[in-house]
Structures are given as C-alpha cells and as structure tokens.
Amino acid sequence: MIKSVSLKAAVRDTIRIFQFEQWIRFYYIKGEGDALCVEIPDEIMKRVEEEYPSLKSLAETMTGSIDYKKSHEIVCAHVASHLDGTKYDMTVMPKVFDSPQFKIEMYVFNMWMKMHEPYLEEEIMFFSDWEEMWEEWNKLEEVQQYREKLINSGQTPTTVQ
C-alpha cells in the first residue's frame, strides 16, 4: 500500500484528532481538582463507533482517570499509531507538529472554542455538531482573512490547549 506524503492532509487529520480530544474533555471530564476522570456514556460511545470508528480507540483510551499530561500522551500515541507509517509515510508525521499550518489551525480552533464556549455549554453536542459549526465558522470572510494574516505574518502562534 502506498502511503501519503501530503503534509497538508496529515495536518488536517491530526487536527481532527486533537479536536475530538478537546470535545471529549469539554463534555465528559468529571471530578474536581486533580482527581479528574473521563466518563463517556455508552450511547455516545456507540455513536462514536458508528460515525467515527477511527476515533473510537482514542475515546476508549481516554476513559478513566485523566490529567492534561496523560491526555496529551494519549492523543500523541493515537496519532502515531493511526497515522504515522500507516496512513502517512514515516517522513511526514514528524513534520506535522512543527508546521506553521498545524500551529495556526490549533490556535484558530482554540480561539473558536473560547468564542463559542457559552453556546457549547448550553447542551451536550455530538462531535459532528462541533465539526459542522467549525466548518461554517471557517467559511466566514473575517475568519479567512484572519487566518491569511497569520499565515502571511510568517510568525506562528503558540497553541493553547
């Protein structure tokens, strides 16, 4: 099987994994202080399995005791096992995390989350709802201009998790 060498596609797929992880943390983290755990209801896991089979193992791995470090390690391990050397050539994935495209997209996604947080908190939405809202927001001329400004500046923002 020929593996892709497209950095752009690898960034897109990696961003989606990070967005999915953010969605899980946004709705399904329970507890207080340092004692946090992810509890995803069975009906949601079933829907993830049906609609996002490639992300099901990520959701399963995140379930249980969690902190920021563990969550980050789980996401990176998922990217490595599902994209690096399987979907993409081994030379592509090491470039993703340092790429301006990845940094800008994560920055813009985190900005979207902060701007929409009150709306996202109104009710628990499924990941496909987040994806749809994200895509519609990205179509706005102001967002496209802002992204272009970031790209053309030559400086990459630091990602905010």
Side-chain angles (χ1 to χ4, degrees):
M1 181 169 108
I2 297 175
K3 295 173 181 79
S4 175
V5 292
S6 170
L7 180 61
K8 184 177 180 179
V11 166
R12 184 187 62 241
D13 288 348
T14 304
I15 292 290
R16 188 174 194 219
I17 290 169
F18 273 79
Q19 290 172 336
F20 184 77
E21 179 263 353
Q22 292 275 13
W23 169 76
I24 288 173
R25 286 195 298 140
F26 192 86
Y27 290 121
Y28 300 109
I29 282 192
K30 308 288 184 223
E32 295 179 20
D34 293 338
L36 300 174
C37 70
V38 172
E39 297 174 6
I40 304 172
D42 291 340
E43 66 272 8
I44 299 299
M45 285 297 281
K46 184 173 176 54
R47 190 166 170 198
V48 166
E49 181 177 20
E50 292 168 0
E51 297 180 34
Y52 299 94
S54 66
L55 296 172
K56 181 182 181 245
S57 63
L58 176 60
E60 290 173 335
T61 307
M62 286 187 69
T63 301
S65 178
I66 196 96
D67 59 25
Y68 177 79
K69 182 180 179 207
K70 183 176 178 183
S71 181
H72 185 75
E73 289 169 356
I74 289 169
V75 171
C76 290
H78 187 85
V79 167
S81 66
H82 288 82
L83 302 180
D84 193 16
T86 54
K87 185 171 184 178
Y88 296 99
D89 186 83
M90 296 286 277
T91 62
V92 175
M93 294 311 296
K95 299 173 188 171
V96 168
F97 295 109
D98 289 329
S99 72
Q101 301 97 319
F102 177 80
K103 292 176 182 179
I104 288 170
E105 286 309 306
M106 284 305 299
Y107 178 80
V108 173
F109 179 73
N110 283 299
M111 186 175 68
W112 172 83
M113 279 187 63
K114 287 187 186 326
M115 290 174 64
H116 291 83
E117 191 170 354
Y119 179 73
L120 297 172
E121 288 177 337
E122 286 180 11
E123 64 178 296
I124 295 176
M125 297 179 202
F126 193 64
F127 184 59
S128 58
D129 299 320
W130 273 39
E131 285 186 307
E132 185 178 323
M133 287 174 51
W134 164 248
E135 289 302 319
E136 288 302 313
W137 184 75
N138 272 307
K139 291 177 185 174
L140 296 174
E141 186 175 336
E142 299 91 348
V143 175
Q144 292 175 9
Q145 288 173 348
Y146 183 68
R147 184 179 276 108
E148 281 298 313
K149 184 177 175 182
L150 289 172
I151 292 167
N152 292 333
S153 76
Q155 298 178 350
T156 55
T158 57
T159 58
V160 180
Q161 295 283 323

